[in-house]
């Protein structure tokens, strides 16, 4: 909503399309789409595997592809939720015309003493997934197909394994595809990661970033109810220490609050469940991605011996007491458990089984039906 | 052509310098690279930074290359020659050599790894390098398997075996050297892979960075599956692109049937018949030059004065001591009582019990490196002392490449 209204202010002629999950809601000024419009054969798998916010990341490429392929637009700028347009977007589209794919980096200059912050960027990705342009063409088509294929099962936060949701995949793009423009315009994508190094000045409605007109501000991790810091991801710098950027954050806060008061507060998403009503634990989502090559049919469906639900309960080996696939996976992903129960299928089996009953089911919110 | 230092001759030859860096173990490869380059570009005699010490083979004077020593590039410092392992010192010397060549007046510098082979004219590449501030080659130019892409995301999008820099890219070189110097390590979980991962940031952070997508440049095992080697009218091609530079990264001469020892071994067979032939021919070329040079795998900075090998953990400890390390004067000298080597064998501060055998400074650091050992022997200076000491003898010495001189 905030994005749409801010776009209208500077670019009244642009079409605005929005993907809404879990299902589309109509809006008079925005063209709304829902997941079912994407024609993804594996939509159910993605809905199962990813929590709500991550699902929006995992559908980004498919949504952009739909808009290009359907002829909705020939030139497209993706702007992620938690953003606000603060200037004319035409120059971004102009730069996009130089290629088929436009990337906006987090950092445009070395950080001097900030080696650790550069490492953080290497963790999460050189290019920000919040502002991304594509125009119709062979390279952009190949890019979106490839990106979507990766996001289907690997839109994951596993930085030690080279993944940061949808974003780190973008690092490969300048190598894998032609016609890539790496924009170095300081006004295209401004967020907490480049503040306060990129000086912001506000003159009335005009916002400048490093003396260039600012176009898009990003507010990832900004909580309008806790505005002291620009992001919950770091307490490196307080909002008040950002100079004029603080004014932009305050404008966003007001706009976001206003938008919230207009939209009927939708209740927070219901807890996702299997068809038998058993809540899906996070560990099961994670495990589903690990074994994504196996065909379980609809992963929500708990009926039948071939279901993912049944598979989770199956013992991982013949030993007793039985350790199920689910608990075996919990052991794999927890360093502390691997240390405490080194031989969890052998000599530490009884102890690990006891831990499952005494602590595991609570720590992982596992329903008795899966315990 | 002789192995002299940078002189007027090279500067007259043009404003373009080709260079590489190697320790003595890869000197044969560097000579093969130099010969292949000069065969095609007689004016481009490469500069070879040697990150090693000891007698240089007399044959080197007859090779088409100019030797640059660590002294020439200001790296002959104990904190580097002792503080870093062989591969780390070479990694640090790379940006330092590029900076040096720019500073002495070259306007365009192309760094090639010593295990590369120039196969055809580089004019188009040099032109791009000279017009850009920095030129980088991505490992991958084509979509490939999930596993390969993740491996590349972890180790770096751009291969640090080829780096082109013009005078416009001088700031990049300083930054790259600065970042690399802190921790030239293989620590991919923490986003460090020697000098390589930093390059991921270069196209954003510096003006004029060229991502060179020439399928004939930096052809290596990680991209050969997507651009199979072949011969067309006698010329080597990768896919359809004429091969300009091949890269034999991780290639072990002793097993030429393996294209690389990286990623648990990549068989040359799997890369196609022409690749198999190329790997075999390259092995023969290097072996012949190694024979002429009398090459050795010995590392001049690899041993103390007494001849005792320097364990990696000793280098780490020395580096971590920072300025404090100066009190040992020459850390390589282990022949006097106040030597660094003796200090490594002294009881660690945490070991106040003064019980025999003491946990030494060296083994205390090893202990901190190993969470698994800590878990097995949690009470290092108490109940688990004996167990840990036994572990150092039965496993620790071998696992950490520590010699008898440091046995507890």
């Amino acid at each position: 909503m905030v994005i749409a209204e801010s776009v209208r202010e500077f670019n009244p002629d642009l079409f605005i399309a929005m993907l809404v999950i879990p299902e589309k809601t109509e809006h008079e000024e925005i063209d709304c789409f829902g997941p079912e419009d994407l024609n993804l054969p594996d939509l159910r798998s993605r809905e199962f595997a990813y929590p709500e916010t991550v699902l929006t990341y995992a559908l980004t490429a498919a949504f952009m592809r739909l808009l290009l392929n359907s002829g909705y637009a020939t030139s497209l700028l993706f702007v992620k939720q938690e953003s606000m347009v603060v200037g004319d977007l035409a120059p971004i589209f102009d730069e996009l015309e130089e290629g088929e794919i436009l990337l906006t980096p987090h950092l445009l200059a070395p950080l001097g003493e900030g080696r650790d912050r550069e490492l953080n960027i290497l963790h999460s990705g050189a290019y920000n997934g919040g502002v991304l342009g594509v125009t119709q063409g062979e390279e952009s088509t190949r890019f979106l197909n490839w990106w979507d294929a990766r996001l289907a099962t690997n839109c994951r936060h596993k930085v030690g394994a080279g993944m940061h949701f949808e974003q780190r995949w973008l690092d490969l793009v300048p190598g894998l595809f032609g016609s890539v423009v790496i924009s170095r315009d300081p006004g295209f994508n401004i967020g907490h990661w480049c503040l306060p190094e990129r000086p912001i000045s506000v003159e009335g409605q005009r916002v400048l970033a490093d003396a260039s007109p600012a176009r898009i501000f990003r507010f990832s991790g900004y909580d309008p109810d806790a505005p002291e810091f620009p992001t919950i991801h770091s307490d490196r710098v307080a909002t008040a220490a950002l100079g004029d950027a603080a004014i932009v954050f305050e404008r966003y806060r007001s706009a976001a609050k206003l938008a919230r008061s207009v939209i009927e507060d939708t209740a927070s998403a219901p807890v996702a469940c299997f068809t038998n009503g058993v809540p899906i634990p996070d560990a099961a989502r994670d495990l589903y991605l690990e074994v994504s090559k196996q065909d379980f049919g609809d992963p929500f469906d708990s009926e039948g011996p071939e279901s993912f639900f049944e598979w989770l309960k199956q013992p991982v080996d013949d030993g007793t007491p039985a350790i199920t696939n689910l608990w075996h996976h919990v052991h794999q992903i927890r360093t502390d458990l691997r240390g405490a129960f080194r031989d969890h299928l052998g000599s530490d089996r009884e102890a690990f089984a006891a831990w499952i009953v005494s602590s595991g089911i609570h720590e992982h919110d596992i329903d008795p039906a899966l315990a | 052509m002789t192995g002299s230092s940078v002189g007027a001759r090279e500067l007259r030859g043009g404003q373009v310098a080709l260079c590489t860096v190697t320790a003595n173990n890869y000197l044969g490869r560097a000579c093969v690279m130099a010969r292949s380059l000069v065969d095609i570009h007689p004016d481009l005699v490469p500069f070879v930074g040697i990150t090693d010490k000891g007698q240089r083979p007399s044959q080197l004077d007859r090779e088409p290359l100019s030797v640059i020593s660590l002294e020439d590039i200001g790296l002959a410092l104990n904190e580097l020659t002792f503080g870093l392992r062989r591969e780390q010192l070479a990694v640090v010397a790379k940006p330092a050599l590029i900076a040096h060549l720019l500073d002495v007046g070259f306007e365009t510098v192309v760094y090639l790894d010593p295990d590369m082979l120039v196969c055809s004219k580089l004019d188009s590449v040099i032109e791009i390098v000279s017009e850009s501030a920095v030129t980088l080659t991505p490992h991958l130019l084509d979509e490939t398997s999930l596993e390969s892409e993740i491996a590349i995301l972890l180790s770096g999008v751009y291969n640090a075996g080829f780096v082109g820099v013009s005078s416009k890219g001088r700031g990049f070189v300083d930054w790259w050297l600065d970042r690399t110097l802190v921790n030239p390590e293989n620590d991919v979980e923490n986003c460090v892979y020697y000098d390589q991962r930093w390059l991921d940031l270069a196209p954003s952070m510096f003006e004029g960075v060229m991502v060179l997508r020439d399928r004939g440049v930096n052809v290596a095992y990680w991209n050969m599956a997507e651009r199979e080697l072949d011969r067309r009218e006698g010329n080597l091609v990768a896919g359809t692109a004429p091969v300009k530079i091949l890269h034999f990264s991780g290639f072990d001469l002793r097993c030429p049937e393996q294209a690389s020892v990286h990623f648990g071994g990549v068989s040359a067979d799997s890369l196609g018949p022409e690749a198999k032939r190329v790997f075999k021919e390259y092995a023969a070329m290097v072996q012949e030059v190694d024979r002429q040079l009398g090459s050795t795998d010995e590392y001049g900075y690899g041993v103390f004065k007494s001849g005792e090998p320097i364990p990696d953990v000793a280098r780490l400890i020395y580096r971590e001591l920072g300025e404090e390390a100066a009190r040992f004067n020459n850390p390589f000298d282990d022949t006097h009582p106040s030597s660094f080597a003796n200090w490594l064998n002294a009881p660690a501060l945490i070991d106040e019990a003064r019980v025999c055998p003491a946990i030494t400074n060296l083994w205390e650091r090893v202990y901190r490196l190993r969470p698994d050992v800590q878990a097995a022997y949690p009470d290092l200076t108490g109940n688990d002392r004996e167990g840990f000491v036994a572990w150092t003898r039965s496993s620790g010495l071998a696992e950490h490449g520590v010699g008898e001189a440091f046995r507890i």
Side-chain angles (χ1 to χ4, degrees), chain A residues 206-269:
Chain A
R206 204 169 131 81
V207 182
L208 297 176
D210 205 5
S212 288
R215 316 285 171 190
I216 300 173
F217 252 76
R218 302 278 338 287
F219 302 92
S220 61
Y222 177 64
D223 179 357
D225 293 325
E228 299 78 20
F229 289 96
T231 179
I232 53 165
H233 302 310
S234 153
D235 59 359
R236 173 175 62 84
V237 59
T239 311
L242 294 179
D244 276 7
I247 300 173
V248 183
F249 274 79
E250 189 51 36
R251 283 180 188 170
Y252 176 73
R253 192 163 84 102
S254 308
K257 287 204 156 176
L258 184 67
R260 257 196 289 185
S261 69
V262 172
I263 302 174
E264 270 179 62
D265 231 351
T266 43
S268 53

Coordinates of all heavy atoms in Angstrom, one line a residue, chain A residues 206-269:
Chain A
R206 N 11.9 16.8 -1.7 CA 13.0 16.3 -2.5 C 14.0 15.6 -1.6 O 14.5 16.2 -0.6 CB 13.7 17.5 -3.2 CG 14.5 17.2 -4.4 CD 14.8 18.6 -5.1 NE 16.2 18.7 -5.4 CZ 16.7 18.1 -6.5 NH1 16.0 17.5 -7.3 NH2 18.0 18.2 -6.7
V207 N 14.4 14.4 -1.9 CA 15.3 13.6 -1.1 C 16.6 13.4 -2.0 O 16.4 12.9 -3.1 CB 14.7 12.3 -0.6 CG1 15.7 11.6 0.3 CG2 13.4 12.6 0.2
L208 N 17.7 13.7 -1.4 CA 19.0 13.4 -2.2 C 19.8 12.3 -1.4 O 19.8 12.3 -0.2 CB 19.8 14.7 -2.3 CG 19.2 15.8 -3.1 CD1 20.1 17.1 -3.0 CD2 18.9 15.4 -4.5
A209 N 20.4 11.5 -2.2 CA 21.4 10.5 -1.6 C 22.7 10.7 -2.3 O 22.8 10.6 -3.5 CB 20.9 9.1 -2.0
D210 N 23.7 11.0 -1.5 CA 25.0 11.3 -2.0 C 24.9 12.3 -3.1 O 25.5 12.2 -4.2 CB 25.7 10.0 -2.4 CG 27.2 10.2 -2.4 OD1 27.7 11.2 -1.9 OD2 27.9 9.2 -2.8
A211 N 24.1 13.3 -2.9 CA 23.9 14.5 -3.9 C 23.1 14.1 -5.1 O 22.9 14.9 -6.0 CB 25.2 15.1 -4.2
S212 N 22.7 12.8 -5.3 CA 21.9 12.4 -6.4 C 20.4 12.3 -5.9 O 20.2 11.9 -4.8 CB 22.3 11.0 -6.9 OG 23.5 11.2 -7.6
P213 N 19.5 12.5 -6.8 CA 18.1 12.3 -6.4 C 17.8 10.9 -5.9 O 18.2 9.9 -6.6 CB 17.3 12.6 -7.7 CG 18.2 13.4 -8.5 CD 19.6 13.0 -8.2
A214 N 17.2 10.8 -4.8 CA 16.8 9.4 -4.2 C 15.5 9.0 -4.9 O 14.7 9.8 -5.1 CB 16.7 9.5 -2.7
R215 N 15.5 7.7 -5.1 CA 14.3 7.1 -5.8 C 13.5 6.2 -4.9 O 12.3 6.2 -4.7 CB 14.7 6.3 -7.1 CG 15.7 7.0 -7.9 CD 15.1 8.1 -8.7 NE 16.2 8.9 -9.4 CZ 16.0 10.0 -10.0 NH1 14.8 10.6 -10.0 NH2 16.9 10.7 -10.6
I216 N 14.2 5.2 -4.3 CA 13.6 4.2 -3.5 C 14.3 4.0 -2.2 O 15.5 3.8 -2.2 CB 13.5 2.8 -4.2 CG1 12.7 3.0 -5.5 CG2 12.8 1.8 -3.3 CD1 12.8 1.7 -6.4
F217 N 13.6 4.1 -1.1 CA 14.1 3.7 0.2 C 13.6 2.4 0.6 O 12.4 2.1 0.4 CB 13.6 4.8 1.3 CG 14.7 5.7 1.7 CD1 15.1 6.8 0.9 CD2 15.3 5.6 3.0 CE1 16.1 7.7 1.3 CE2 16.3 6.5 3.4 CZ 16.7 7.5 2.6
R218 N 14.4 1.6 1.3 CA 14.0 0.3 1.7 C 14.0 0.3 3.3 O 14.9 0.9 3.9 CB 15.0 -0.8 1.2 CG 15.1 -0.9 -0.3 CD 14.0 -1.7 -1.0 NE 13.4 -2.6 0.0 CZ 13.9 -3.7 0.5 NH1 15.0 -4.2 0.1 NH2 13.2 -4.5 1.3
F219 N 13.1 -0.4 3.9 CA 12.9 -0.4 5.3 C 12.9 -1.8 5.9 O 12.2 -2.1 6.7 CB 11.7 0.3 5.7 CG 11.6 1.8 5.2 CD1 11.0 2.1 4.0 CD2 12.2 2.8 5.9 CE1 11.0 3.4 3.5 CE2 12.2 4.1 5.5 CZ 11.6 4.4 4.2
S220 N 13.8 -2.7 5.3 CA 13.8 -4.1 5.7 C 14.2 -4.1 7.2 O 15.2 -3.6 7.6 CB 14.7 -4.9 4.9 OG 16.0 -4.5 4.9
G221 N 13.4 -4.8 8.0 CA 13.6 -5.0 9.4 C 13.3 -3.8 10.2 O 13.5 -3.7 11.4
Y222 N 12.6 -2.8 9.6 CA 12.2 -1.6 10.4 C 10.9 -1.8 11.0 O 9.9 -2.2 10.3 CB 12.2 -0.4 9.4 CG 11.7 0.9 10.1 CD1 12.5 1.5 11.1 CD2 10.5 1.6 9.7 CE1 12.0 2.7 11.7 CE2 10.1 2.7 10.3 CZ 10.9 3.3 11.3 OH 10.5 4.5 11.9
D223 N 10.8 -1.6 12.3 CA 9.5 -1.8 13.0 C 9.0 -0.4 13.3 O 9.5 0.3 14.2 CB 9.8 -2.6 14.3 CG 8.5 -2.8 15.1 OD1 7.5 -2.3 14.7 OD2 8.6 -3.5 16.1
P224 N 7.9 0.0 12.7 CA 7.3 1.3 13.0 C 6.9 1.5 14.5 O 6.8 2.6 14.9 CB 6.1 1.4 12.1 CG 6.3 0.4 11.0 CD 7.2 -0.7 11.6
D225 N 6.8 0.4 15.2 CA 6.5 0.5 16.6 C 7.7 0.6 17.5 O 7.6 0.8 18.7 CB 5.6 -0.7 17.0 CG 4.2 -0.6 16.4 OD1 3.7 0.5 16.2 OD2 3.7 -1.7 16.0
A226 N 8.9 0.4 16.9 CA 10.1 0.5 17.6 C 11.1 1.3 16.7 O 12.1 0.7 16.2 CB 10.7 -0.9 17.9
P227 N 10.8 2.6 16.5 CA 11.5 3.3 15.4 C 12.9 3.8 15.8 O 13.6 4.5 15.0 CB 10.6 4.5 15.2 CG 9.9 4.7 16.5 CD 9.8 3.4 17.2
E228 N 13.4 3.4 17.0 CA 14.7 3.9 17.5 C 15.8 3.4 16.6 O 16.8 4.1 16.4 CB 15.0 3.5 18.9 CG 14.0 4.0 19.9 CD 12.7 3.3 20.0 OE1 12.7 2.1 19.5 OE2 11.7 3.8 20.4
F229 N 15.6 2.2 16.0 CA 16.7 1.7 15.1 C 16.1 1.5 13.7 O 14.9 1.1 13.6 CB 17.2 0.4 15.7 CG 18.0 0.6 16.9 CD1 17.5 0.4 18.2 CD2 19.4 0.9 16.8 CE1 18.2 0.6 19.4 CE2 20.1 1.1 18.0 CZ 19.6 1.0 19.2
P230 N 16.9 1.7 12.7 CA 16.4 1.5 11.4 C 16.1 0.1 11.0 O 15.4 -0.2 10.0 CB 17.5 2.1 10.5 CG 18.8 2.1 11.3 CD 18.3 2.2 12.7
T231 N 16.7 -0.9 11.7 CA 16.4 -2.3 11.4 C 16.6 -3.1 12.7 O 17.5 -2.8 13.5 CB 17.4 -2.8 10.3 OG1 17.1 -4.2 10.1 CG2 18.8 -2.7 10.7
I232 N 15.8 -4.2 12.8 CA 16.0 -5.1 13.9 C 17.2 -6.0 13.7 O 17.6 -6.7 14.6 CB 14.7 -6.0 14.1 CG1 14.4 -6.7 12.8 CG2 13.6 -5.2 14.6 CD1 13.4 -7.8 12.9
H233 N 17.7 -5.9 12.4 CA 18.9 -6.8 12.1 C 20.2 -6.4 12.8 O 21.2 -7.1 12.8 CB 19.1 -6.9 10.6 CG 17.9 -7.5 9.9 ND1 17.2 -8.6 10.3 CD2 17.2 -7.0 8.8 CE1 16.2 -8.8 9.5 NE2 16.1 -7.9 8.6
S234 N 20.2 -5.1 13.2 CA 21.5 -4.6 13.8 C 21.2 -3.4 14.7 O 20.3 -2.6 14.4 CB 22.4 -4.2 12.6 OG 23.3 -3.2 13.0
D235 N 22.0 -3.3 15.7 CA 21.9 -2.0 16.5 C 23.1 -1.2 16.3 O 23.5 -0.4 17.1 CB 21.7 -2.4 18.0 CG 22.9 -3.2 18.5 OD1 23.8 -3.5 17.8 OD2 22.9 -3.5 19.7
R236 N 23.7 -1.3 15.1 CA 24.9 -0.6 14.8 C 24.7 0.9 14.9 O 25.6 1.6 15.4 CB 25.3 -1.0 13.4 CG 26.5 -0.3 12.8 CD 26.8 -0.8 11.4 NE 25.8 -0.8 10.4 CZ 25.5 0.3 9.7 NH1 26.3 1.4 9.8 NH2 24.5 0.3 8.8
V237 N 23.6 1.4 14.4 CA 23.4 2.8 14.4 C 22.0 3.1 14.7 O 21.1 2.4 14.2 CB 23.9 3.4 13.0 CG1 23.1 2.8 11.9 CG2 23.7 4.9 13.0
A238 N 21.7 4.2 15.5 CA 20.4 4.5 15.8 C 19.8 5.4 14.7 O 20.5 6.1 14.0 CB 20.4 5.3 17.1
T239 N 18.4 5.3 14.6 CA 17.8 6.1 13.6 C 18.1 7.6 13.7 O 18.4 8.3 12.7 CB 16.2 5.9 13.7 OG1 16.0 4.5 13.7 CG2 15.5 6.5 12.4
A240 N 18.2 8.0 15.0 CA 18.4 9.5 15.2 C 19.8 9.9 14.7 O 20.1 11.1 14.4 CB 18.3 9.8 16.7
A241 N 20.7 8.9 14.5 CA 22.1 9.2 14.1 C 22.2 9.2 12.6 O 23.3 9.3 12.0 CB 23.1 8.3 14.7
L242 N 21.1 9.0 11.9 CA 21.2 8.9 10.4 C 21.0 10.2 9.7 O 21.0 10.3 8.4 CB 20.1 8.0 9.9 CG 20.1 6.5 10.4 CD1 18.9 5.7 9.8 CD2 21.4 5.9 9.9
G243 N 21.0 11.3 10.4 CA 20.9 12.6 9.8 C 19.5 12.7 9.1 O 18.5 12.3 9.7
D244 N 19.4 13.3 7.9 CA 18.2 13.5 7.3 C 17.4 12.2 6.9 O 16.2 12.2 6.7 CB 18.4 14.4 6.0 CG 18.4 15.9 6.3 OD1 18.4 16.2 7.5 OD2 18.4 16.7 5.3
A245 N 18.2 11.2 6.9 CA 17.5 9.9 6.6 C 16.5 9.6 7.6 O 15.4 8.9 7.3 CB 18.5 8.7 6.5
A246 N 16.7 10.1 8.8 CA 15.7 9.9 9.9 C 14.3 10.5 9.5 O 13.3 9.9 9.9 CB 16.2 10.4 11.2
I247 N 14.4 11.6 8.8 CA 13.1 12.2 8.3 C 12.4 11.3 7.4 O 11.1 11.1 7.5 CB 13.4 13.5 7.6 CG1 14.2 14.5 8.5 CG2 12.1 14.2 7.1 CD1 14.7 15.8 7.9
V248 N 13.1 10.6 6.5 CA 12.5 9.7 5.6 C 11.9 8.5 6.3 O 10.8 8.0 6.1 CB 13.5 9.2 4.5 CG1 12.8 8.3 3.5 CG2 14.1 10.4 3.8
F249 N 12.6 8.0 7.3 CA 12.1 6.9 8.1 C 10.8 7.3 8.8 O 9.9 6.5 8.9 CB 13.2 6.4 9.2 CG 14.1 5.4 8.6 CD1 15.2 5.8 7.8 CD2 13.9 4.0 8.9 CE1 16.1 4.8 7.3 CE2 14.8 3.1 8.4 CZ 15.9 3.5 7.6
E250 N 10.8 8.5 9.3 CA 9.6 9.0 10.0 C 8.4 9.1 9.1 O 7.3 8.8 9.4 CB 9.9 10.4 10.7 CG 8.8 10.9 11.6 CD 8.4 9.8 12.7 OE1 9.3 9.1 13.2 OE2 7.2 9.8 13.0
R251 N 8.7 9.6 7.8 CA 7.6 9.7 6.8 C 7.1 8.3 6.5 O 5.9 8.1 6.4 CB 8.2 10.3 5.5 CG 8.3 11.8 5.6 CD 8.9 12.3 4.3 NE 9.2 13.7 4.4 CZ 9.8 14.5 3.6 NH1 10.2 13.9 2.4 NH2 10.1 15.7 3.8
Y252 N 8.0 7.3 6.5 CA 7.5 6.0 6.2 C 6.7 5.4 7.4 O 5.6 4.8 7.2 CB 8.7 5.0 6.0 CG 8.3 3.6 5.8 CD1 7.7 3.2 4.6 CD2 8.5 2.6 6.8 CE1 7.4 1.8 4.4 CE2 8.2 1.3 6.6 CZ 7.6 0.9 5.4 OH 7.2 -0.4 5.3
R253 N 7.1 5.8 8.6 CA 6.4 5.3 9.8 C 4.9 5.9 9.7 O 4.0 5.1 10.0 CB 7.1 5.8 11.0 CG 6.6 5.1 12.3 CD 7.6 5.3 13.4 NE 7.4 6.6 14.1 CZ 6.8 6.7 15.2 NH1 6.3 5.7 15.9 NH2 6.6 7.9 15.8
S254 N 4.8 7.1 9.4 CA 3.5 7.7 9.3 C 2.6 7.1 8.2 O 1.5 6.7 8.4 CB 3.5 9.2 9.0 OG 4.4 9.9 9.9
A255 N 3.3 6.9 7.1 CA 2.5 6.3 5.9 C 2.1 4.9 6.3 O 1.0 4.5 6.0 CB 3.4 6.3 4.7
A256 N 3.0 4.1 6.9 CA 2.7 2.7 7.2 C 1.6 2.7 8.3 O 0.7 1.8 8.2 CB 4.0 2.0 7.8
K257 N 1.6 3.6 9.2 CA 0.6 3.6 10.2 C -0.8 3.9 9.6 O -1.8 3.3 9.9 CB 0.9 4.6 11.3 CG 2.0 4.1 12.2 CD 2.0 4.7 13.6 CE 2.7 3.8 14.6 NZ 2.8 4.3 15.9
L258 N -0.7 4.9 8.7 CA -2.0 5.3 8.0 C -2.5 4.2 7.2 O -3.7 3.9 7.3 CB -1.7 6.5 7.1 CG -2.9 7.1 6.4 CD1 -3.8 7.8 7.5 CD2 -2.4 8.2 5.4
A259 N -1.6 3.5 6.5 CA -2.1 2.4 5.7 C -2.7 1.3 6.5 O -3.7 0.7 6.2 CB -0.9 1.8 4.9
R260 N -2.1 1.1 7.7 CA -2.6 0.0 8.5 C -4.0 0.4 9.1 O -4.8 -0.5 9.2 CB -1.6 -0.2 9.7 CG -0.8 -1.4 9.6 CD -0.1 -1.8 10.8 NE 0.9 -0.9 11.2 CZ 1.7 -1.1 12.3 NH1 1.6 -2.1 13.1 NH2 2.6 -0.2 12.6
S261 N -4.2 1.7 9.3 CA -5.5 2.1 9.8 C -6.6 2.0 8.8 O -7.7 1.8 9.1 CB -5.4 3.5 10.4 OG -5.3 4.4 9.3
V262 N -6.2 2.1 7.5 CA -7.1 2.0 6.4 C -7.5 0.5 6.1 O -8.7 0.2 6.0 CB -6.6 2.7 5.1 CG1 -7.5 2.4 3.9 CG2 -6.4 4.2 5.3
I263 N -6.4 -0.3 6.0 CA -6.7 -1.7 5.7 C -7.2 -2.3 7.0 O -6.7 -2.1 8.0 CB -5.4 -2.4 5.3 CG1 -4.8 -1.7 4.1 CG2 -5.7 -3.9 5.0 CD1 -3.4 -2.3 3.7
E264 N -8.2 -3.1 6.8 CA -8.7 -3.9 8.0 C -7.6 -4.8 8.4 O -7.1 -5.5 7.6 CB -9.9 -4.7 7.6 CG -11.2 -3.9 7.8 CD -12.4 -4.8 7.4 OE1 -12.6 -5.9 8.0 OE2 -13.1 -4.4 6.4
D265 N -7.2 -4.7 9.6 CA -6.1 -5.5 10.1 C -6.5 -7.0 9.9 O -7.4 -7.5 10.5 CB -5.9 -5.2 11.6 CG -4.4 -4.9 11.8 OD1 -3.6 -5.1 10.9 OD2 -4.1 -4.5 12.9
T266 N -5.8 -7.6 8.9 CA -6.1 -9.0 8.7 C -5.4 -9.8 9.9 O -4.4 -9.4 10.3 CB -5.5 -9.5 7.4 OG1 -4.2 -9.0 7.3 CG2 -6.3 -9.1 6.2
A267 N -6.2 -10.7 10.4 CA -5.6 -11.5 11.5 C -4.3 -12.2 11.0 O -4.2 -12.4 9.8 CB -6.7 -12.6 11.9
S268 N -3.5 -12.4 12.0 CA -2.2 -13.0 11.6 C -2.5 -14.4 11.0 O -3.5 -15.0 11.4 CB -1.3 -13.1 12.8 OG -1.9 -13.7 13.8
A269 N -1.7 -14.8 10.1 CA -1.9 -16.1 9.4 C -2.2 -17.2 10.3 O -1.5 -17.3 11.3 CB -0.8 -16.4 8.5

